[in-house]
Amino acid sequence: MSNRFYTSASSTLVRTRIVAKCFHRQRRFISSLTARRYPFGTAARPKFLSSLDRRGLCCNSHQHSTAASSPAVPASFAEWSGLSAWRFSKVDNRRVWGDKGPVARSGQASGDQDLCYSQTLAACAAEVLLTEDPKQKALLTHHAWQKFQAGGMPVGQAQPPPQPARPARPQLVPPKQVPIPKQSPLPLPVYMLHNLAHVELNAVDLAWDTVARFSHLGLDQGFYADFARVADDESRHLGWCLQRLEELGYAYGDMVAHSILWEGAQASTGDLAGRLAVVPMSQEARGLDAGPRLADKLVGCGDNRSAAIVSRIALEEKAHVAVGVSWFTKMAAAMGEDPGAVYRHCITSLGQQEALRPPYNHASREEVGLKQDWYDRSLWPSGIASGCAQAHTASAACSIGTQKEVQQQAITPEALQSLKQRMATVLDVELCSAK
């Protein structure tokens, strides 16, 4: 992947105060971009995208902007130290869990036959989302990422399906119908691995959905590359879990599962800031909290091999959370808003407060840039409701859905309350399995 995909924030996010002449000149320039990017008319262009264009978050022909001034990124913010190395790392072909850790499949070569026939990254994303079989989904993901990394394939545009394709098993049920470990017919290690496999399957789909759903924005190509790489990581994690389940004599689908992770993310389909807050910064961050505890539990069960897999997955999740924090912080800075206030507003307005229940792994969260006063509700300012109302401008500025989309996807208070209750049930089951 060329280094031009990941220039510094100072070259990609530009905050300028435009005088009257320059403002009108830039509006004409943005209008010309709109005509090329949105051939069906300006009504299809998100309301606040022009503001992001002026600040450099959207780039022409997927190039980074090169203006001289810098956005007001908080002085206290520092990206995770491993993020740059993760972004520039080679394609990881270690998709089998060997005797001592992940290894490449025997006979596997980087030039394996390409199974992804789509010609753009966004189209590949839609192709993966429409694939039912988990193993095939993981394989297509890896081939799509290899193809994109090799160069020459543009991001393009694609419309994701309303729901990802799913296999006949497991049966998807309401969270309250998912048995707790003591009530499950599966041994505890298998129970935990099955839950983790289901999480990783959803993570693959959510990463690709982010690529496809926001592909029409023409954001910096680094944004799409980041989430395509996340999808590849998650597909590798999914493969390890499926492999280990088979080694133990079980298979994915041997117990029921829920769809709450996908439902929670669907609440953010019209809001880029909301998607970043909900998926990498909340759902993925739960992996930082729960991973070490689950690994210790597996060691206590005598399953060191499964514990090693879980520990490795938890370690690699740091990059996924860091990616979300990085783009979210840059977006908030480009809009001149406090990222903590925007995050709190996104979480509360989308009914995701239950995703922030303790216990937390504060050290790991802090390491990847998640500030404790963002997610720890005990530290939230008093009168958070009024604070969220004040942050409405930031949320609106970061909202990228068209007015028609937002109206169609409006969430009723009753639906939000139901989502909160279901998320609480899921977290109760998670905490119970880790005890």
Side-chain angles (χ1 to χ4, degrees):
M1 183 66 65
S2 172
N3 287 4
R4 64 188 175 85
F5 293 164
Y6 297 112
T7 57
S8 65
S10 62
S11 66
T12 58
L13 296 173
V14 182
R15 298 186 68 215
T16 57
R17 296 190 175 279
I18 305 174
V19 296
K21 287 184 180 179
C22 293
F23 177 76
H24 291 298
R25 188 178 305 148
Q26 181 131 350
R27 287 201 60 171
R28 289 196 298 272
F29 174 65
I30 292 173
S31 296
S32 69
L33 291 181
T34 300
R36 292 197 297 270
R37 288 185 189 167
Y38 303 93
F40 300 107
T42 56
R45 181 178 176 80
K47 182 177 180 181
F48 292 94
L49 191 54
S50 296
S51 181
L52 296 182
D53 278 330
R54 293 195 296 274
R55 290 162 173 83
L57 196 61
C58 301
C59 303
N60 306 334
S61 302
H62 309 296
Q63 300 282 336
H64 284 272
S65 59
T66 56
S69 58
S70 301
V73 175
S76 61
F77 175 73
E79 284 190 339
W80 176 52
S81 60
L83 189 56
S84 179
W86 176 81
R87 282 171 163 164
F88 289 105
S89 61
K90 297 180 180 179
V91 173
D92 194 336
N93 291 313
R94 296 173 298 172
R95 307 185 67 81
V96 174
W97 195 265
D99 294 336
K100 298 182 179 180
V103 296
R105 183 177 291 105
S106 178
Q108 178 177 316
S110 59
D112 284 348
Q113 181 182 1
D114 180 22
L115 299 180
C116 185
Y117 299 108
S118 299
Q119 298 305 307
T120 68
L121 185 67
C124 286
E127 184 179 344
V128 174
L129 288 166
L130 291 169
T131 300
E132 291 184 5
D133 181 74
K135 289 183 178 180
Q136 186 69 8
K137 187 185 291 283
L139 187 60
L140 280 175
T141 292
H142 189 52
H143 279 267
W145 176 238
Q146 285 181 312
K147 191 173 180 178
F148 185 68
Q149 275 283 68
M153 184 169 73
V155 171
Q157 297 182 26
Q159 182 65 36
Q163 298 284 338
R166 286 285 182 263
R169 299 173 69 245
Q171 178 187 1
L172 298 180
V173 300
K176 289 185 177 180
Q177 295 182 22
V178 176
I180 62 175
K182 291 182 179 180
Q183 298 173 349
S184 172
L186 304 181
L188 183 57
V190 176
Y191 177 94
M192 289 190 285
L193 282 171
H194 191 283
N195 281 346
L196 184 55
H198 187 65
V199 168
E200 298 300 334
L201 177 65
N202 277 275
V204 172
D205 284 330
L206 286 169
W208 281 126
D209 183 81
T210 299
V211 170
R213 188 166 303 281
F214 303 112
S215 61
H216 67 289
L217 295 182
L219 297 172
D220 188 301
Q221 184 158 337
F223 175 87
Y224 304 105
D226 276 350
F227 282 92
R229 187 184 288 274
V230 168
D232 187 56
D233 284 355
E234 304 290 18
S235 73
R236 190 171 64 255
H237 300 167
L238 173 60
W240 295 341
C241 292
L242 296 177
Q243 174 191 340
R244 184 57 182 153
L245 282 173
E246 292 177 359
E247 291 174 353
L248 294 172
Y250 294 86
Y252 177 65
D254 283 351
M255 66 173 279
V256 297
H258 59 76
S259 60
I260 192 66
L261 295 177
W262 180 262
E263 290 177 21
Q266 284 301 92
S268 64
T269 54
D271 185 347
L272 178 55
R275 173 58 63 91
L276 295 174
V278 171
V279 179
M281 298 172 67
S282 298
Q283 291 184 358
E284 296 260 27
R286 295 298 302 177
L288 303 184
D289 303 330
R293 298 197 312 271
L294 295 178
D296 289 344
K297 187 71 173 179
L298 287 165
V299 170
C301 294
D303 191 349
N304 293 334
R305 182 170 171 82
S306 295
I309 293 174
V310 172
S311 295
R312 179 61 182 240
I313 290 175
L315 180 65
E316 295 190 4
E317 293 296 337
K318 288 184 178 181
H320 306 168
V321 181
V323 160
V325 174
S326 175
W327 287 106
F328 185 89
T329 304
K330 290 174 183 177
M331 173 176 283
M335 304 311 304
E337 298 291 342
D338 173 60
V342 179
Y343 177 78
R344 291 188 289 268
H345 173 71
C346 289
I347 292 298
T348 53
S349 64
L350 296 175
Q352 298 295 298
Q353 297 96 312
E354 291 300 333
L356 303 182
R357 289 172 60 185
Y360 309 113
N361 187 335
H362 293 302
S364 290
R365 285 172 173 254
E366 182 73 22
E367 182 182 359
V368 297
L370 268 180
K371 303 298 181 182
Q372 186 174 349
D373 62 347
W374 294 12
Y375 62 83
D376 189 340
R377 294 162 64 186
S378 68
L379 300 180
W380 283 10
S382 58
I384 190 65
S386 59
C388 289
Q390 293 171 2
H392 178 71
T393 300
S395 176
C398 295
S399 175
I400 54 77
T402 64
Q403 293 301 314
K404 185 176 181 180
E405 278 182 321
V406 172
Q407 291 172 2
Q408 290 176 342
Q409 297 168 354
I411 303 176
T412 66
E414 293 77 13
L416 278 177
Q417 185 60 32
S418 174
L419 191 58
K420 291 178 188 177
Q421 293 173 349
R422 299 174 74 187
M423 181 65 76
T425 301
V426 170
L427 292 178
D428 286 340
V429 172
E430 174 196 280
L431 294 174
C432 183
S433 65
K435 289 179 180 178

